[in-house]
Amino acid sequence: MNLLDRPVAPDPYDSLPPVPSFELTSTDIKDGQAMPAALTADGGSVSPQLSWSGFPKETKSFVVTCFDPDAPTPSGYWHWILMDLPADMTSLDAGAGASDLTIDGQAFHIRNDAGEFSYFGAAPPAGDREHRYIFTVHALDCDTLNLSEDTMPATVAFNVLFHTLARARLTVTHQNKG
């Protein structure tokens, strides 16, 4: 089977109701650029440094995600879901995705599609096309979504949709030329 014969996945956020945007920056990744090796599974699965600003003043919490819509599955691949970040937390250090223990307060990780409660770096199949990794910060209208760490990523995304005031994104790419 040739993985390159499948259609390119749409941008998953294009099919959602539009919401305002705010600024998301990083010292480790740049929108539209290649993902640094340290952020890949082979490079150590280090989550990037992220900072955000300009979100609505009504924001009560944040959810941070990383999603690969280009994974050869019908549902893409969730690399990172960090829940219930308080509204006064507007940045994450590089490596913060390693464990809940590195994050202050009530924030916690949802199990990603690799089965880990952490950030899992890019790991596209060898020889597949370039994949997009969409790092997103969702500004929410509630302090918590009242979900547990055992909630499935699609269920988190469903709940986030109904509480999103605004969203900020950075998309990077990675290809495993094999």
Side-chain angles (χ1 to χ4, degrees), residues 33-167:
Q33 300 296 311
M35 178 181 281
L39 277 61
T40 69
D42 288 342
S45 289
V46 176
S47 61
Q49 182 281 332
L50 298 172
S51 298
W52 52 94
S53 62
F55 47 86
K57 64 180 181 188
E58 300 84 16
T59 300
K60 295 185 179 174
S61 68
F62 298 102
V63 170
V64 175
T65 63
C66 177
F67 182 71
D68 172 5
D70 300 312
T73 72
S75 58
Y77 197 93
W78 291 98
H79 286 263
W80 194 18
I81 302 177
L82 182 55
M83 300 285 300
D84 291 351
L85 288 161
D88 62 354
M89 182 178 284
T90 58
S91 67
L92 293 169
D93 292 336
S99 167
D100 295 348
L101 300 176
T102 64
I103 301 165
D104 293 333
Q106 67 183 8
F108 64 97
H109 285 98
I110 296 292
R111 187 186 317 265
N112 59 37
D113 284 339
E116 301 173 357
F117 292 98
S118 62
Y119 168 78
F120 180 73
D128 198 10
R129 69 171 59 110
E130 186 174 76
H131 285 216
R132 295 165 290 166
Y133 297 86
I134 306 170
F135 289 86
T136 308
V137 177
H138 310 264
L140 305 184
D141 65 0
C142 56
D143 295 328
T144 179
L145 290 173
N146 292 311
L147 301 174
S148 77
E149 67 180 12
D150 294 321
T151 304
M152 299 303 292
T155 302
V156 172
F158 176 83
N159 282 275
V160 164
L161 173 69
F162 293 101
H163 293 279
T164 297
L165 297 169
R167 120 178 15 99

Side-chain angles (χ1 to χ4, degrees), residues 1-12:
M1 172 176 62
N2 183 351
L3 292 175
L4 298 176
D5 288 341
R6 69 185 197 287
V8 174
D11 182 312

Side-chain angles (χ1 to χ4, degrees), residues 4-36:
L4 298 176
D5 288 341
R6 69 185 197 287
V8 174
D11 182 312
Y13 295 101
D14 286 349
S15 64
L16 299 178
V19 295
S21 184
F22 55 96
E23 185 171 11
L24 176 59
T25 60
S26 174
T27 58
D28 299 321
I29 59 175
K30 302 293 179 221
D31 195 52
Q33 300 296 311
M35 178 181 281

